[in-house]
Amino acid sequence: MASTFIKLPIIASVLLAVAWLLSWSIPSFLVFKLLHVFAFITLGAGLVGVLVSDVRARKAKSFALLVDSIEAMLAFYYRLVMPGSLLILLSGFAMVFGYYGQAFIDIPWLAGMMVLFVFEFFEGHLIMKLHYIKLREGIEKAKQAGASVPDLERELQARLTLATHFLDVPNFALIVTLGILRPSDWTVFSVGIVLVVAVTAWLMVDVPRRFPWKGMEQHTPQSSEQLHSS
């Protein structure tokens, strides 16, 4: 897990270097814009998929369905969220390097998008990735044991990852809003931050209240063979 903290800055630095090179070698702004839009679609689909899978896991009435839902959550994260965020970083900074330069600081909508995305990037690739690594390990232990394991239940109920988990979609929505409206001042950004915090707080209270984790003991499979065959 500690390697994640070492690899992430290296990966981000390499992508920024590649983005700078591409900004000089590819003259067409539309190429980067197309990649950027495709990346946002990929990331948005992944974030929504993760959230839906979380609710599905909370509603699971069998251990097999719980495992299936968590594995779907992991699939959305690794196959859509991660590549989508990396492509956004690459295409977005290529456009900034090639067409905006340091002037982006004086453009509220662009600077706001970059601040929010950088936060989302490091939060998603550090806090949430460690969370998903622990979930994957917990699922594997449960499959091997054929019964509930404390590590998985503890990770499912972690408060920090609960907050960052529900923060992702509202924060992403604000980034998209800034990119579409392109406000000339910081009003939309400021009001948006307040709304993001409010929506996240509401989700943290409402979702666990409506769909509480039922406890691993209620999802224990009848046998390890039954679980492995699911």
PDB file of all heavy atoms in Angstrom, residues 73-105:
ATOM      1  N   MET A  73     -18.278  -2.854  -7.977  1.00  0.00           N
ATOM      2  CA  MET A  73     -17.753  -1.558  -7.556  1.00  0.00           C
ATOM      3  C   MET A  73     -16.267  -1.439  -7.895  1.00  0.00           C
ATOM      4  O   MET A  73     -15.810  -0.415  -8.428  1.00  0.00           O
ATOM      5  CB  MET A  73     -17.956  -1.387  -6.037  1.00  0.00           C
ATOM      6  CG  MET A  73     -17.638  -0.009  -5.499  1.00  0.00           C
ATOM      7  SD  MET A  73     -17.634   0.031  -3.672  1.00  0.00           S
ATOM      8  CE  MET A  73     -19.242  -0.694  -3.317  1.00  0.00           C
ATOM      9  N   LEU A  74     -15.522  -2.489  -7.620  1.00  0.00           N
ATOM     10  CA  LEU A  74     -14.093  -2.500  -7.919  1.00  0.00           C
ATOM     11  C   LEU A  74     -13.849  -2.441  -9.428  1.00  0.00           C
ATOM     12  O   LEU A  74     -12.935  -1.758  -9.890  1.00  0.00           O
ATOM     13  CB  LEU A  74     -13.449  -3.758  -7.338  1.00  0.00           C
ATOM     14  CG  LEU A  74     -13.449  -3.881  -5.814  1.00  0.00           C
ATOM     15  CD1 LEU A  74     -12.910  -5.248  -5.380  1.00  0.00           C
ATOM     16  CD2 LEU A  74     -12.637  -2.777  -5.166  1.00  0.00           C
ATOM     17  N   ALA A  75     -14.701  -3.129 -10.199  1.00  0.00           N
ATOM     18  CA  ALA A  75     -14.547  -3.125 -11.655  1.00  0.00           C
ATOM     19  C   ALA A  75     -14.780  -1.727 -12.218  1.00  0.00           C
ATOM     20  O   ALA A  75     -14.036  -1.265 -13.093  1.00  0.00           O
ATOM     21  CB  ALA A  75     -15.515  -4.119 -12.286  1.00  0.00           C
ATOM     22  N   PHE A  76     -15.809  -1.042 -11.737  1.00  0.00           N
ATOM     23  CA  PHE A  76     -16.066   0.326 -12.191  1.00  0.00           C
ATOM     24  C   PHE A  76     -14.892   1.233 -11.862  1.00  0.00           C
ATOM     25  O   PHE A  76     -14.507   2.085 -12.671  1.00  0.00           O
ATOM     26  CB  PHE A  76     -17.343   0.871 -11.549  1.00  0.00           C
ATOM     27  CG  PHE A  76     -18.603   0.465 -12.241  1.00  0.00           C
ATOM     28  CD1 PHE A  76     -19.532  -0.355 -11.602  1.00  0.00           C
ATOM     29  CD2 PHE A  76     -18.878   0.901 -13.528  1.00  0.00           C
ATOM     30  CE1 PHE A  76     -20.703  -0.731 -12.245  1.00  0.00           C
ATOM     31  CE2 PHE A  76     -20.045   0.531 -14.184  1.00  0.00           C
ATOM     32  CZ  PHE A  76     -20.962  -0.289 -13.530  1.00  0.00           C
ATOM     33  N   TYR A  77     -14.311   1.049 -10.676  1.00  0.00           N
ATOM     34  CA  TYR A  77     -13.205   1.908 -10.267  1.00  0.00           C
ATOM     35  C   TYR A  77     -11.968   1.673 -11.130  1.00  0.00           C
ATOM     36  O   TYR A  77     -11.392   2.609 -11.684  1.00  0.00           O
ATOM     37  CB  TYR A  77     -12.872   1.672  -8.798  1.00  0.00           C
ATOM     38  CG  TYR A  77     -11.656   2.449  -8.335  1.00  0.00           C
ATOM     39  CD1 TYR A  77     -11.722   3.812  -8.083  1.00  0.00           C
ATOM     40  CD2 TYR A  77     -10.414   1.817  -8.180  1.00  0.00           C
ATOM     41  CE1 TYR A  77     -10.607   4.530  -7.677  1.00  0.00           C
ATOM     42  CE2 TYR A  77      -9.296   2.527  -7.781  1.00  0.00           C
ATOM     43  CZ  TYR A  77      -9.409   3.879  -7.529  1.00  0.00           C
ATOM     44  OH  TYR A  77      -8.291   4.579  -7.145  1.00  0.00           O
ATOM     45  N   TYR A  78     -11.575   0.415 -11.271  1.00  0.00           N
ATOM     46  CA  TYR A  78     -10.322   0.111 -11.962  1.00  0.00           C
ATOM     47  C   TYR A  78     -10.437   0.227 -13.483  1.00  0.00           C
ATOM     48  O   TYR A  78      -9.450   0.533 -14.153  1.00  0.00           O
ATOM     49  CB  TYR A  78      -9.839  -1.288 -11.580  1.00  0.00           C
ATOM     50  CG  TYR A  78      -9.203  -1.347 -10.210  1.00  0.00           C
ATOM     51  CD1 TYR A  78      -9.890  -1.894  -9.131  1.00  0.00           C
ATOM     52  CD2 TYR A  78      -7.929  -0.837  -9.989  1.00  0.00           C
ATOM     53  CE1 TYR A  78      -9.321  -1.936  -7.867  1.00  0.00           C
ATOM     54  CE2 TYR A  78      -7.357  -0.879  -8.728  1.00  0.00           C
ATOM     55  CZ  TYR A  78      -8.060  -1.421  -7.671  1.00  0.00           C
ATOM     56  OH  TYR A  78      -7.492  -1.451  -6.424  1.00  0.00           O
ATOM     57  N   ARG A  79     -11.618  -0.022 -14.044  1.00  0.00           N
ATOM     58  CA  ARG A  79     -11.756  -0.038 -15.501  1.00  0.00           C
ATOM     59  C   ARG A  79     -12.284   1.267 -16.089  1.00  0.00           C
ATOM     60  O   ARG A  79     -12.134   1.502 -17.296  1.00  0.00           O
ATOM     61  CB  ARG A  79     -12.670  -1.199 -15.912  1.00  0.00           C
ATOM     62  CG  ARG A  79     -12.088  -2.558 -15.542  1.00  0.00           C
ATOM     63  CD  ARG A  79     -13.056  -3.684 -15.876  1.00  0.00           C
ATOM     64  NE  ARG A  79     -12.549  -4.966 -15.386  1.00  0.00           N
ATOM     65  CZ  ARG A  79     -13.216  -6.115 -15.480  1.00  0.00           C
ATOM     66  NH1 ARG A  79     -14.419  -6.130 -16.038  1.00  0.00           N
ATOM     67  NH2 ARG A  79     -12.689  -7.237 -15.008  1.00  0.00           N
ATOM     68  N   LEU A  80     -12.932   2.099 -15.257  1.00  0.00           N
ATOM     69  CA  LEU A  80     -13.468   3.354 -15.774  1.00  0.00           C
ATOM     70  C   LEU A  80     -12.936   4.571 -15.021  1.00  0.00           C
ATOM     71  O   LEU A  80     -12.465   5.534 -15.642  1.00  0.00           O
ATOM     72  CB  LEU A  80     -15.001   3.337 -15.707  1.00  0.00           C
ATOM     73  CG  LEU A  80     -15.710   2.362 -16.659  1.00  0.00           C
ATOM     74  CD1 LEU A  80     -17.219   2.422 -16.448  1.00  0.00           C
ATOM     75  CD2 LEU A  80     -15.371   2.666 -18.102  1.00  0.00           C
ATOM     76  N   VAL A  81     -13.013   4.553 -13.697  1.00  0.00           N
ATOM     77  CA  VAL A  81     -12.619   5.735 -12.920  1.00  0.00           C
ATOM     78  C   VAL A  81     -11.133   6.030 -13.086  1.00  0.00           C
ATOM     79  O   VAL A  81     -10.747   7.171 -13.394  1.00  0.00           O
ATOM     80  CB  VAL A  81     -12.968   5.550 -11.426  1.00  0.00           C
ATOM     81  CG1 VAL A  81     -12.399   6.705 -10.608  1.00  0.00           C
ATOM     82  CG2 VAL A  81     -14.481   5.475 -11.242  1.00  0.00           C
ATOM     83  N   MET A  82     -10.305   5.028 -12.885  1.00  0.00           N
ATOM     84  CA  MET A  82      -8.862   5.256 -12.969  1.00  0.00           C
ATOM     85  C   MET A  82      -8.410   5.687 -14.365  1.00  0.00           C
ATOM     86  O   MET A  82      -7.758   6.725 -14.514  1.00  0.00           O
ATOM     87  CB  MET A  82      -8.095   4.010 -12.500  1.00  0.00           C
ATOM     88  CG  MET A  82      -8.096   3.830 -11.003  1.00  0.00           C
ATOM     89  SD  MET A  82      -6.955   2.530 -10.453  1.00  0.00           S
ATOM     90  CE  MET A  82      -5.392   3.229 -10.894  1.00  0.00           C
ATOM     91  N   PRO A  83      -8.730   4.924 -15.432  1.00  0.00           N
ATOM     92  CA  PRO A  83      -8.288   5.371 -16.762  1.00  0.00           C
ATOM     93  C   PRO A  83      -8.921   6.695 -17.168  1.00  0.00           C
ATOM     94  O   PRO A  83      -8.283   7.513 -17.840  1.00  0.00           O
ATOM     95  CB  PRO A  83      -8.724   4.227 -17.688  1.00  0.00           C
ATOM     96  CG  PRO A  83      -9.738   3.464 -16.929  1.00  0.00           C
ATOM     97  CD  PRO A  83      -9.395   3.611 -15.497  1.00  0.00           C
ATOM     98  N   GLY A  84     -10.181   6.935 -16.776  1.00  0.00           N
ATOM     99  CA  GLY A  84     -10.824   8.200 -17.108  1.00  0.00           C
ATOM    100  C   GLY A  84     -10.128   9.386 -16.482  1.00  0.00           C
ATOM    101  O   GLY A  84      -9.896  10.411 -17.134  1.00  0.00           O
ATOM    102  N   SER A  85      -9.763   9.265 -15.210  1.00  0.00           N
ATOM    103  CA  SER A  85      -9.089  10.370 -14.518  1.00  0.00           C
ATOM    104  C   SER A  85      -7.687  10.604 -15.089  1.00  0.00           C
ATOM    105  O   SER A  85      -7.246  11.755 -15.217  1.00  0.00           O
ATOM    106  CB  SER A  85      -9.007  10.084 -13.016  1.00  0.00           C
ATOM    107  OG  SER A  85      -8.228   8.919 -12.762  1.00  0.00           O
ATOM    108  N   LEU A  86      -7.002   9.532 -15.451  1.00  0.00           N
ATOM    109  CA  LEU A  86      -5.667   9.686 -16.041  1.00  0.00           C
ATOM    110  C   LEU A  86      -5.740  10.365 -17.407  1.00  0.00           C
ATOM    111  O   LEU A  86      -4.903  11.216 -17.736  1.00  0.00           O
ATOM    112  CB  LEU A  86      -4.988   8.323 -16.162  1.00  0.00           C
ATOM    113  CG  LEU A  86      -4.636   7.617 -14.847  1.00  0.00           C
ATOM    114  CD1 LEU A  86      -4.102   6.218 -15.110  1.00  0.00           C
ATOM    115  CD2 LEU A  86      -3.618   8.428 -14.045  1.00  0.00           C
ATOM    116  N   LEU A  87      -6.760  10.010 -18.193  1.00  0.00           N
ATOM    117  CA  LEU A  87      -6.914  10.630 -19.511  1.00  0.00           C
ATOM    118  C   LEU A  87      -7.325  12.093 -19.392  1.00  0.00           C
ATOM    119  O   LEU A  87      -6.907  12.936 -20.193  1.00  0.00           O
ATOM    120  CB  LEU A  87      -7.947   9.857 -20.327  1.00  0.00           C
ATOM    121  CG  LEU A  87      -8.133  10.304 -21.784  1.00  0.00           C
ATOM    122  CD1 LEU A  87      -6.804  10.278 -22.532  1.00  0.00           C
ATOM    123  CD2 LEU A  87      -9.159   9.417 -22.480  1.00  0.00           C
ATOM    124  N   ILE A  88      -8.123  12.417 -18.372  1.00  0.00           N
ATOM    125  CA  ILE A  88      -8.479  13.821 -18.132  1.00  0.00           C
ATOM    126  C   ILE A  88      -7.239  14.627 -17.786  1.00  0.00           C
ATOM    127  O   ILE A  88      -7.044  15.752 -18.276  1.00  0.00           O
ATOM    128  CB  ILE A  88      -9.520  13.933 -16.998  1.00  0.00           C
ATOM    129  CG1 ILE A  88     -10.883  13.449 -17.486  1.00  0.00           C
ATOM    130  CG2 ILE A  88      -9.637  15.381 -16.505  1.00  0.00           C
ATOM    131  CD1 ILE A  88     -11.945  13.430 -16.411  1.00  0.00           C
ATOM    132  N   LEU A  89      -6.405  14.061 -16.927  1.00  0.00           N
ATOM    133  CA  LEU A  89      -5.164  14.747 -16.554  1.00  0.00           C
ATOM    134  C   LEU A  89      -4.308  14.997 -17.786  1.00  0.00           C
ATOM    135  O   LEU A  89      -3.798  16.110 -17.981  1.00  0.00           O
ATOM    136  CB  LEU A  89      -4.396  13.902 -15.536  1.00  0.00           C
ATOM    137  CG  LEU A  89      -3.050  14.479 -15.059  1.00  0.00           C
ATOM    138  CD1 LEU A  89      -3.280  15.716 -14.201  1.00  0.00           C
ATOM    139  CD2 LEU A  89      -2.271  13.431 -14.268  1.00  0.00           C
ATOM    140  N   LEU A  90      -4.179  13.988 -18.633  1.00  0.00           N
ATOM    141  CA  LEU A  90      -3.343  14.098 -19.826  1.00  0.00           C
ATOM    142  C   LEU A  90      -3.903  15.122 -20.815  1.00  0.00           C
ATOM    143  O   LEU A  90      -3.198  16.060 -21.221  1.00  0.00           O
ATOM    144  CB  LEU A  90      -3.216  12.733 -20.492  1.00  0.00           C
ATOM    145  CG  LEU A  90      -2.347  12.653 -21.751  1.00  0.00           C
ATOM    146  CD1 LEU A  90      -0.901  12.975 -21.425  1.00  0.00           C
ATOM    147  CD2 LEU A  90      -2.469  11.276 -22.386  1.00  0.00           C
ATOM    148  N   SER A  91      -5.162  14.961 -21.191  1.00  0.00           N
ATOM    149  CA  SER A  91      -5.753  15.851 -22.204  1.00  0.00           C
ATOM    150  C   SER A  91      -5.973  17.257 -21.660  1.00  0.00           C
ATOM    151  O   SER A  91      -5.761  18.254 -22.371  1.00  0.00           O
ATOM    152  CB  SER A  91      -7.079  15.266 -22.692  1.00  0.00           C
ATOM    153  OG  SER A  91      -7.995  15.096 -21.618  1.00  0.00           O
ATOM    154  N   GLY A  92      -6.386  17.355 -20.396  1.00  0.00           N
ATOM    155  CA  GLY A  92      -6.648  18.668 -19.820  1.00  0.00           C
ATOM    156  C   GLY A  92      -5.403  19.526 -19.718  1.00  0.00           C
ATOM    157  O   GLY A  92      -5.403  20.697 -20.117  1.00  0.00           O
ATOM    158  N   PHE A  93      -4.339  18.954 -19.204  1.00  0.00           N
ATOM    159  CA  PHE A  93      -3.113  19.734 -19.064  1.00  0.00           C
ATOM    160  C   PHE A  93      -2.444  19.975 -20.407  1.00  0.00           C
ATOM    161  O   PHE A  93      -1.734  20.961 -20.577  1.00  0.00           O
ATOM    162  CB  PHE A  93      -2.156  19.046 -18.090  1.00  0.00           C
ATOM    163  CG  PHE A  93      -2.444  19.367 -16.657  1.00  0.00           C
ATOM    164  CD1 PHE A  93      -3.311  18.578 -15.912  1.00  0.00           C
ATOM    165  CD2 PHE A  93      -1.873  20.472 -16.053  1.00  0.00           C
ATOM    166  CE1 PHE A  93      -3.597  18.880 -14.593  1.00  0.00           C
ATOM    167  CE2 PHE A  93      -2.144  20.790 -14.727  1.00  0.00           C
ATOM    168  CZ  PHE A  93      -3.017  19.992 -13.995  1.00  0.00           C
ATOM    169  N   ALA A  94      -2.673  19.089 -21.385  1.00  0.00           N
ATOM    170  CA  ALA A  94      -2.159  19.352 -22.734  1.00  0.00           C
ATOM    171  C   ALA A  94      -2.810  20.605 -23.306  1.00  0.00           C
ATOM    172  O   ALA A  94      -2.136  21.436 -23.945  1.00  0.00           O
ATOM    173  CB  ALA A  94      -2.424  18.149 -23.635  1.00  0.00           C
ATOM    174  N   MET A  95      -4.120  20.768 -23.067  1.00  0.00           N
ATOM    175  CA  MET A  95      -4.806  21.978 -23.536  1.00  0.00           C
ATOM    176  C   MET A  95      -4.329  23.214 -22.780  1.00  0.00           C
ATOM    177  O   MET A  95      -4.154  24.290 -23.365  1.00  0.00           O
ATOM    178  CB  MET A  95      -6.320  21.813 -23.394  1.00  0.00           C
ATOM    179  CG  MET A  95      -6.936  20.861 -24.396  1.00  0.00           C
ATOM    180  SD  MET A  95      -8.750  20.894 -24.416  1.00  0.00           S
ATOM    181  CE  MET A  95      -9.111  20.064 -22.865  1.00  0.00           C
ATOM    182  N   VAL A  96      -4.114  23.060 -21.484  1.00  0.00           N
ATOM    183  CA  VAL A  96      -3.639  24.199 -20.684  1.00  0.00           C
ATOM    184  C   VAL A  96      -2.246  24.618 -21.138  1.00  0.00           C
ATOM    185  O   VAL A  96      -1.978  25.814 -21.366  1.00  0.00           O
ATOM    186  CB  VAL A  96      -3.630  23.840 -19.186  1.00  0.00           C
ATOM    187  CG1 VAL A  96      -2.904  24.921 -18.375  1.00  0.00           C
ATOM    188  CG2 VAL A  96      -5.053  23.685 -18.671  1.00  0.00           C
ATOM    189  N   PHE A  97      -1.344  23.641 -21.284  1.00  0.00           N
ATOM    190  CA  PHE A  97       0.021  23.954 -21.713  1.00  0.00           C
ATOM    191  C   PHE A  97       0.050  24.568 -23.112  1.00  0.00           C
ATOM    192  O   PHE A  97       0.788  25.511 -23.378  1.00  0.00           O
ATOM    193  CB  PHE A  97       0.892  22.690 -21.693  1.00  0.00           C
ATOM    194  CG  PHE A  97       1.157  22.153 -20.323  1.00  0.00           C
ATOM    195  CD1 PHE A  97       1.289  20.782 -20.102  1.00  0.00           C
ATOM    196  CD2 PHE A  97       1.287  23.011 -19.244  1.00  0.00           C
ATOM    197  CE1 PHE A  97       1.539  20.284 -18.834  1.00  0.00           C
ATOM    198  CE2 PHE A  97       1.532  22.517 -17.963  1.00  0.00           C
ATOM    199  CZ  PHE A  97       1.654  21.158 -17.761  1.00  0.00           C
ATOM    200  N   GLY A  98      -0.776  24.024 -24.026  1.00  0.00           N
ATOM    201  CA  GLY A  98      -0.705  24.439 -25.416  1.00  0.00           C
ATOM    202  C   GLY A  98      -1.502  25.672 -25.775  1.00  0.00           C
ATOM    203  O   GLY A  98      -1.146  26.384 -26.718  1.00  0.00           O
ATOM    204  N   TYR A  99      -2.585  25.948 -25.014  1.00  0.00           N
ATOM    205  CA  TYR A  99      -3.485  27.000 -25.470  1.00  0.00           C
ATOM    206  C   TYR A  99      -3.823  28.054 -24.411  1.00  0.00           C
ATOM    207  O   TYR A  99      -4.339  29.117 -24.757  1.00  0.00           O
ATOM    208  CB  TYR A  99      -4.778  26.370 -25.980  1.00  0.00           C
ATOM    209  CG  TYR A  99      -4.530  25.417 -27.119  1.00  0.00           C
ATOM    210  CD1 TYR A  99      -4.394  24.050 -26.881  1.00  0.00           C
ATOM    211  CD2 TYR A  99      -4.386  25.870 -28.423  1.00  0.00           C
ATOM    212  CE1 TYR A  99      -4.145  23.164 -27.926  1.00  0.00           C
ATOM    213  CE2 TYR A  99      -4.129  25.002 -29.466  1.00  0.00           C
ATOM    214  CZ  TYR A  99      -4.013  23.644 -29.214  1.00  0.00           C
ATOM    215  OH  TYR A  99      -3.750  22.778 -30.244  1.00  0.00           O
ATOM    216  N   TYR A 100      -3.559  27.786 -23.154  1.00  0.00           N
ATOM    217  CA  TYR A 100      -3.869  28.769 -22.118  1.00  0.00           C
ATOM    218  C   TYR A 100      -2.612  29.281 -21.410  1.00  0.00           C
ATOM    219  O   TYR A 100      -2.520  30.457 -21.071  1.00  0.00           O
ATOM    220  CB  TYR A 100      -4.834  28.172 -21.083  1.00  0.00           C
ATOM    221  CG  TYR A 100      -6.209  27.871 -21.633  1.00  0.00           C
ATOM    222  CD1 TYR A 100      -6.570  26.568 -21.988  1.00  0.00           C
ATOM    223  CD2 TYR A 100      -7.146  28.884 -21.789  1.00  0.00           C
ATOM    224  CE1 TYR A 100      -7.827  26.291 -22.488  1.00  0.00           C
ATOM    225  CE2 TYR A 100      -8.416  28.621 -22.297  1.00  0.00           C
ATOM    226  CZ  TYR A 100      -8.741  27.322 -22.645  1.00  0.00           C
ATOM    227  OH  TYR A 100      -9.988  27.039 -23.142  1.00  0.00           O
ATOM    228  N   GLY A 101      -1.672  28.384 -21.173  1.00  0.00           N
ATOM    229  CA  GLY A 101      -0.469  28.763 -20.453  1.00  0.00           C
ATOM    230  C   GLY A 101      -0.784  29.218 -19.035  1.00  0.00           C
ATOM    231  O   GLY A 101      -1.761  28.782 -18.428  1.00  0.00           O
ATOM    232  N   GLN A 102       0.017  30.136 -18.515  1.00  0.00           N
ATOM    233  CA  GLN A 102      -0.196  30.633 -17.159  1.00  0.00           C
ATOM    234  C   GLN A 102      -1.435  31.493 -17.024  1.00  0.00           C
ATOM    235  O   GLN A 102      -1.866  31.819 -15.917  1.00  0.00           O
ATOM    236  CB  GLN A 102       1.036  31.421 -16.699  1.00  0.00           C
ATOM    237  CG  GLN A 102       2.294  30.576 -16.588  1.00  0.00           C
ATOM    238  CD  GLN A 102       3.477  31.372 -16.087  1.00  0.00           C
ATOM    239  OE1 GLN A 102       3.407  32.601 -15.943  1.00  0.00           O
ATOM    240  NE2 GLN A 102       4.567  30.690 -15.789  1.00  0.00           N
ATOM    241  N   ALA A 103      -2.046  31.841 -18.147  1.00  0.00           N
ATOM    242  CA  ALA A 103      -3.253  32.672 -18.118  1.00  0.00           C
ATOM    243  C   ALA A 103      -4.436  31.955 -17.481  1.00  0.00           C
ATOM    244  O   ALA A 103      -5.430  32.598 -17.119  1.00  0.00           O
ATOM    245  CB  ALA A 103      -3.617  33.109 -19.535  1.00  0.00           C
ATOM    246  N   PHE A 104      -4.335  30.614 -17.318  1.00  0.00           N
ATOM    247  CA  PHE A 104      -5.457  29.881 -16.738  1.00  0.00           C
ATOM    248  C   PHE A 104      -5.764  30.359 -15.325  1.00  0.00           C
ATOM    249  O   PHE A 104      -6.905  30.248 -14.849  1.00  0.00           O
ATOM    250  CB  PHE A 104      -5.160  28.376 -16.741  1.00  0.00           C
ATOM    251  CG  PHE A 104      -4.326  27.901 -15.583  1.00  0.00           C
ATOM    252  CD1 PHE A 104      -4.910  27.506 -14.390  1.00  0.00           C
ATOM    253  CD2 PHE A 104      -2.932  27.849 -15.701  1.00  0.00           C
ATOM    254  CE1 PHE A 104      -4.132  27.056 -13.328  1.00  0.00           C
ATOM    255  CE2 PHE A 104      -2.154  27.404 -14.643  1.00  0.00           C
ATOM    256  CZ  PHE A 104      -2.755  27.013 -13.451  1.00  0.00           C
ATOM    257  N   ILE A 105      -4.768  30.906 -14.633  1.00  0.00           N
ATOM    258  CA  ILE A 105      -4.967  31.377 -13.262  1.00  0.00           C
ATOM    259  C   ILE A 105      -5.993  32.503 -13.225  1.00  0.00           C
ATOM    260  O   ILE A 105      -6.728  32.664 -12.244  1.00  0.00           O
ATOM    261  CB  ILE A 105      -3.624  31.851 -12.662  1.00  0.00           C
ATOM    262  CG1 ILE A 105      -2.631  30.683 -12.628  1.00  0.00           C
ATOM    263  CG2 ILE A 105      -3.825  32.417 -11.260  1.00  0.00           C
ATOM    264  CD1 ILE A 105      -1.258  31.069 -12.146  1.00  0.00           C
TER     265      ILE A 105
END
